[in-house]
Amino acid sequence: RITPAVQTEINFFNEAENTNEVAMDEIGQEESAKANREKRPTRQRVVNSYRLEFDRAMLHFVSFDFGDAINFLEPLTVVESTFNAKVLACVVLAGCFSMNNKLGAESRKEKYVDALRRMTTVNSDRKIHRIDKSILLKHESLLRRVNQDLVVYEVFYIFGHMKSYSPLTGKGSTQWLQQRYAHLDHITQNITDFDFSSLDINAVDQLSEEGLTAVEELFTATLIKAAILNLQDKTEDAKPLLDNIIQNREYVFKAMSDPYTVPWAYYELGVALMRNGTDDDSVDAKNYLIDAKKFSKKHEYSFSHMLEYKCTGALRELKEAENKK
């Protein structure tokens, strides 16, 4: 657990970060600098302390040990804190509550919403990192979620934690991935009002808030299901799911405030084609990866910088394979 000393440092940092000008007016610049060094921790010291506790929480999170993860995350996400790094911690905490079976269904829902609302107290006057900006872009859609468990799978997927369970790494667990796929499949089967064949771009403006939420959840769960199939080297099963997203891309861009599922689907399809190894598939894979990178120039979506990084790495891998031929 976070120690009282570290928590005091974090709280003091939040309160004192923007008070330097007043102190300088009162006692002069040199004396103020000396006083600040003596009376408050350095920014790096606080960041390191915060990061250590967050990393401990994530070790429990990726092990699906949500109760212990909550114990580490709660002190990092207190409402009074304006520390911008708590944005990601709030989302992870919300996911932990949604999947913590020790809580009742209503309690899980209430705590999920409460955790997400804590991120609104961050200090927008300070620099917000790209990851936290991406999460803030998703804030309203996350609050509307009916299937709140999805946020756990999104964190696992976006940050690459699922890959550690892939048998392609030589040390993964097919059973674990199959269990996650079954859960996501259950979510998509319960979205009975919409399927990919019934989506009408001309009817987007008539969708209710509940309808928009259902469509967003359908696309999100479908993307992650395809990614899980890719991790099991079941690329032929993943392709139809990804095609469903890609063929409805204009619908996504019109209907959703965060259309991230489309560019990420392009990336996943590119990766699937890379694994086939044929020359034709390599050409198609390259085109899908290039197109995935281009979306950030036309559309704002969450975690675009992370996707561009992944695409760049995959394109480099393709080029290296081509040079070896």
Side-chain angles (χ1 to χ4, degrees):
R1 295 288 301 275
I2 189 169
T3 64
V6 171
Q7 185 63 59
T8 299
E9 289 184 353
I10 291 172
N11 292 341
F12 193 92
F13 172 72
N14 291 330
E15 296 169 2
E17 180 70 359
N18 295 320
T19 61
N20 289 346
E21 290 185 8
V22 174
M24 288 178 186
D25 289 340
E26 293 177 350
I27 61 176
Q29 187 169 355
E30 291 184 5
E31 291 184 8
S32 174
K34 180 180 178 182
N36 281 331
R37 285 195 297 272
E38 293 174 350
K39 292 182 179 180
R40 73 180 180 92
T42 65
R43 178 184 181 86
Q44 192 59 49
R45 184 181 175 191
V46 173
V47 169
N48 289 345
S49 298
Y50 192 99
R51 184 177 297 160
L52 177 63
E53 296 304 306
F54 179 76
D55 288 346
R56 286 173 174 167
M58 289 303 294
L59 288 172
H60 292 284
F61 176 79
V62 299
S63 302
F64 270 45
D65 182 7
F66 299 116
D68 282 340
I70 288 169
N71 290 337
F72 281 105
L73 290 165
E74 284 271 33
L76 302 181
T77 58
V78 291
V79 174
E80 294 78 16
S81 172
T82 60
F83 200 37
N84 290 340
K86 85 171 188 177
V87 171
L88 177 57
C90 287
V91 169
V92 177
L93 179 62
C96 289
F97 281 133
S98 73
M99 295 278 272
N100 188 356
N101 292 327
K102 294 180 180 179
L103 300 172
E106 287 305 312
S107 179
R108 291 202 300 270
K109 290 179 181 179
E110 291 173 3
K111 288 180 177 294
Y112 168 92
V113 171
D114 174 69
L116 291 177
R117 285 179 174 161
R118 296 184 195 185
M119 72 172 67
T120 60
T121 61
V122 298
N123 190 340
S124 59
D125 292 333
R126 298 188 199 133
K127 180 180 179 181
I128 299 179
H129 294 291
R130 289 181 295 182
I131 288 177
D132 302 308
K133 283 183 178 179
S134 287
I135 293 170
L136 289 171
L137 185 65
K138 298 173 69 67
H139 187 234
E140 290 302 319
S141 64
L142 291 175
L143 281 171
R144 292 196 303 266
R145 284 276 171 86
V146 174
N147 293 289
Q148 297 170 340
D149 294 355
L150 266 176
V151 73
V152 170
Y153 295 110
E154 284 181 282
V155 172
F156 261 76
Y157 172 58
I158 295 294
F159 290 92
H161 297 306
M162 278 186 175
K163 190 173 182 179
S164 63
Y165 289 93
S166 171
L168 297 176
T169 65
K171 54 183 179 180
S173 168
T174 299
Q175 181 181 7
W176 188 93
L177 290 171
Q178 289 173 342
Q179 289 172 345
R180 306 289 79 78
Y181 184 93
H183 189 179
L184 290 163
D185 199 43
H186 176 73
I187 289 174
T188 54
Q189 289 176 12
N190 283 343
I191 303 174
T192 55
D193 293 336
F194 297 93
D195 59 51
F196 289 105
S197 62
S198 67
L199 298 177
D200 180 4
I201 193 170
N202 296 315
V204 169
D205 293 337
Q206 282 75 53
L207 280 177
S208 64
E209 186 174 283
E210 291 78 11
L212 286 171
T213 298
V215 171
E216 186 259 344
E217 291 182 358
L218 175 64
F219 276 84
T220 299
T222 300
L223 170 66
I224 302 174
K225 282 168 59 178
I228 290 175
L229 292 171
N230 263 348
L231 290 173
Q232 298 177 82
D233 205 21
K234 297 180 179 180
T235 55
E236 292 304 314
D237 294 327
K239 286 178 185 176
L241 300 181
L242 297 168
D243 284 337
N244 279 334
I245 298 173
I246 291 170
Q247 290 168 7
N248 286 283
R249 58 188 177 277
E250 295 305 323
Y251 185 97
V252 174
F253 290 130
K254 185 174 182 180
M256 299 180 193
S257 58
D258 178 23
Y260 86 99
T261 52
V262 171
W264 283 80
Y266 271 77
Y267 165 75
E268 286 293 338
L269 190 50
V271 169
L273 291 168
M274 281 176 64
R275 294 209 177 104
N276 288 347
T278 68
D279 290 341
D280 288 343
D281 283 333
S282 294
V283 172
D284 289 340
K286 181 179 179 180
N287 290 334
Y288 276 111
L289 292 168
I290 291 173
D291 286 343
K293 290 184 69 173
K294 287 180 179 177
F295 280 110
S296 62
K297 295 179 173 61
K298 297 180 181 178
H299 304 278
E300 184 180 22
Y301 63 90
S302 59
F303 303 108
S304 59
H305 66 289
M306 297 179 73
L307 179 61
E308 289 183 24
Y309 177 81
K310 288 176 177 285
C311 288
T312 299
L315 287 166
R316 186 187 304 116
E317 186 178 334
L318 275 174
K319 187 165 184 63
E320 290 173 354
E322 183 181 334
N323 291 339
K324 291 178 181 179
K325 292 180 180 179

